[in-house]
């Protein structure tokens, strides 16, 4: 059976508790079969499209993940956008403008992906502003110096790209395809951050080198947290892996990140702020200290340094631009009237 043939099976959403008991039993067997077929399809690498039948839980999990991802892109513009007017050269300003604009585009792609699953962008934004939706904890830390712009590119975008490259293979087609372009742009973000730090460290003053090291000291642990809690505490991971929504576990990705960054830090000349960081030839990995997971839960619980400020920015942007949404809705309604043959429609 193919995924398209699933649509010939009874849909769970049309079942009613008032069904005849005998029919309910038959349908239960078929429904079980329908979900089994779906699970087998994704387990064998099948790609799910918006028009396909999918279990409600799969849809809800995806909407949650994709909208959190979209929110992270939008909120993620804020720490660096503060530095647009203070960039030290025209070249750096152009690079930073391009990067921040890329992040806005990533947010738009991802909200569109969520819309293919039946979500409404306005509802998703409201959930973000009301504090009901999550976004990456890393964006609740302040960017205090110009070096933070380079560090965010190197560490934060570096962490993001590791996760996002795996999502190019995720089971939901629109999400996977959106990630291909996003990853190309994230690659540029990571490289510009690395290059900014490399040049400043090699050509700058002692004060600039200290500024870079201080920046890395502050962003290292929040970057490790970007992969989410340890696998043992990650409630949604097992099911997301089974459905092919998630390809690698939080701990696997975190280890890959540490391995990559530990090597790159030597090229720049900076020190990773972890005295336990050590290469282990047996495992083929760097041993490292876990971040403070209590701090992580505080930050995702809304009690980080910048949570209120970030959401206030998003709320202000929504309110300031409400007139655009109103105009768009009125225009859409007029088009609907026109299509329906409204004689009063000019
Ligand atoms: Fe992005
Ligand atoms: Fe990025």
């Amino acid at each position: 059976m193919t995924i398209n043939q699933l649509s010939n099976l009874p849909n769970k959403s049309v079942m009613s508790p008032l069904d005849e008991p005998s029919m309910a039993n038959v349908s239960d067997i078929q429904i079980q079969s329908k979900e089994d077929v779906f699970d087998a399809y994704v387990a064998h690498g099948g790609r799910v499209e918006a028009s396909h039948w999918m279990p409600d839980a799969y849809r809800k999990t995806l909407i949650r993940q994709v909208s959190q991802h979209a929110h992270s892109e939008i909120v993620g513009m804020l720490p660096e956008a503060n530095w647009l007017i203070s960039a030290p050269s025209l070249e750096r300003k152009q690079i930073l403008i391009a990067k921040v604009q890329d992040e806005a585009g990533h947010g738009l792609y991802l909200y569109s992906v969520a819309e293919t699953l039946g979500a409404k962008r306005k509802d998703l934004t409201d959930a973000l502003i009301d504090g009901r939706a999550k976004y990456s904890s890393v964006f609740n830390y302040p960017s205090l110096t110009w070096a933070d712009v380079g560090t965010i590119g190197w560490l934060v975008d570096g962490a993001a790209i590791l996760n996002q490259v795996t999502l190019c293979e995720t089971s939901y087609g629109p999400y996977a395809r959106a990630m291909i372009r996003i990853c190309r742009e994230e690659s540029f973000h990571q490289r510009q951050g690395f290059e900014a730090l490399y040049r400043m460290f090699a050509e700058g003053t002692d004060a600039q080198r200290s500024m870079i090291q201080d920046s890395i000291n502050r962003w290292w642990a929040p970057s490790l947290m970007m992969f989410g809690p340890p696998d043992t505490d990650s409630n949604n991971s097992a099911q997301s892996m089974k459905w092919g929504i998630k390809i690698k576990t939080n701990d696997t990705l975190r280890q890959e990140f540490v391995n990559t960054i530990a090597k790159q830090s030597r090229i720049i000349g900076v020190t990773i702020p972890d005295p336990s960081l050590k290469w282990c030839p047996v495992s083929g990995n760097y041993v490292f200290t876990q971040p403070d997971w209590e701090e992580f839960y505080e930050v995702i619980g809304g009690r980080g340094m910048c949570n209120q400020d970030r959401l206030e920015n998003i709320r202000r942007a929504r309110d300031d631009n409400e007139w655009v949404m109103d105009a768009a809705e009125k225009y859409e309604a007029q088009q609907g009237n026109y299509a329906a043959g409204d004689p009063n429609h000019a």
Side-chain angles (χ1 to χ4, degrees):
M1 181 179 288
T2 67
I3 192 78
N4 285 321
Q5 289 172 286
L6 282 171
S7 50
N8 297 324
L9 292 172
N11 193 323
K12 196 172 191 173
S13 62
V14 302
M15 288 297 294
S16 156
L18 299 177
D19 285 342
E20 291 289 325
S22 58
M23 281 304 292
N25 289 340
V26 170
S27 297
D28 281 348
I29 293 164
Q30 290 173 327
I31 288 163
Q32 185 63 42
S33 164
K34 193 171 182 176
E35 292 177 341
D36 283 350
V37 170
F38 180 88
D39 286 353
Y41 177 76
V42 292
H44 286 86
R47 188 152 270 185
V48 182
E49 297 298 336
S51 58
H52 291 162
W53 180 90
M54 62 187 84
D56 286 346
Y58 177 88
R59 186 185 299 277
K60 278 186 190 150
T61 300
L62 262 175
I63 290 175
R64 190 189 67 245
Q65 178 172 328
V66 171
S67 61
Q68 284 179 5
H69 192 165
H71 297 330
S72 300
E73 301 284 355
I74 297 298
V75 178
M77 289 191 284
L78 298 172
E80 291 176 287
N82 284 340
W83 285 95
L84 282 173
I85 56 168
S86 309
S89 70
L90 180 59
E91 181 196 17
R92 290 292 166 201
K93 190 187 281 274
Q94 285 176 314
I95 290 171
L96 188 55
I97 287 172
K99 179 182 188 294
V100 171
Q101 285 178 332
D102 283 351
E103 306 299 10
H106 299 174
L108 297 183
Y109 284 159
L110 292 165
Y111 284 127
S112 298
V113 171
E115 285 177 325
T116 68
L117 292 156
K120 290 193 168 62
R121 183 172 167 190
K122 183 181 181 310
D123 296 341
L124 300 177
T125 303
D126 288 347
L128 170 65
I129 292 170
D130 296 347
R132 287 176 282 123
K134 302 270 184 277
Y135 57 90
S136 182
S137 57
V138 77
F139 300 120
N140 293 308
Y141 291 83
S143 52
L144 304 177
T145 65
W146 169 253
D148 286 6
V149 171
T151 303
I152 289 170
W154 180 42
L155 295 183
V156 176
D157 290 272
I161 198 171
L162 272 176
N163 187 33
Q164 293 181 143
V165 162
T166 68
L167 291 174
C168 294
E169 301 299 321
T170 196
S171 58
Y172 188 55
Y175 193 20
R177 288 189 289 275
M179 294 316 302
I180 292 170
R181 176 162 175 177
I182 288 176
C183 282
R184 286 189 188 131
E185 292 175 346
E186 293 298 354
S187 173
F188 150 64
H189 300 170
Q190 197 271 350
R191 283 165 191 229
Q192 66 81 34
F194 177 88
E195 193 261 354
L197 294 184
Y198 178 82
R199 273 180 58 189
M200 207 189 326
F201 206 87
E203 300 165 12
T205 62
D206 285 347
Q208 285 174 314
R209 277 187 278 278
S210 297
M211 180 174 71
I212 292 172
Q213 187 60 57
D214 168 71
S215 173
I216 289 161
N217 293 350
R218 286 182 286 107
W219 287 95
W220 174 247
S223 302
L224 291 178
M225 294 175 193
M226 281 182 71
F227 299 96
D231 293 347
T232 47
D233 297 336
S234 182
N235 300 331
N236 303 314
S237 269
Q239 184 60 61
S240 289
M241 296 280 291
K242 193 173 150 222
W243 274 330
I245 294 174
K246 197 167 174 161
I247 308 297
K248 291 184 180 177
T249 72
N250 297 353
D251 286 337
T252 302
L253 288 166
R254 192 167 10 252
Q255 184 67 63
E256 287 179 11
F257 174 72
V258 173
N259 291 351
T260 304
I261 296 298
K263 287 175 192 154
Q264 292 180 350
S265 67
R266 288 201 296 277
I267 299 170
I268 298 174
V270 293
T271 304
I272 299 298
D274 179 356
S276 303
L277 188 75
K278 192 173 62 184
W279 174 251
C280 172
V282 178
S283 67
N285 289 309
Y286 278 86
V287 177
F288 66 99
T289 307
Q290 290 288 317
D292 179 353
W293 291 114
E294 277 185 30
E295 178 181 311
F296 169 77
Y297 286 114
E298 280 295 297
V299 176
I300 59 167
R303 296 174 292 280
M305 275 186 272
C306 300
N307 294 59
Q308 295 307 315
D309 184 57
R310 301 296 185 233
L311 292 189
E312 183 51 37
N313 265 283
I314 303 294
R315 184 181 296 113
R316 201 181 318 125
R318 181 193 61 181
D319 294 348
D320 288 351
N321 295 299
E322 204 167 7
W323 66 274
V324 178
M325 297 301 293
D326 286 346
E329 278 171 16
K330 280 183 183 141
Y331 176 77
E332 196 176 357
Q334 278 182 344
Q335 293 304 301
N337 289 341
Y338 180 69
D342 177 1
N344 296 320
H345 181 87

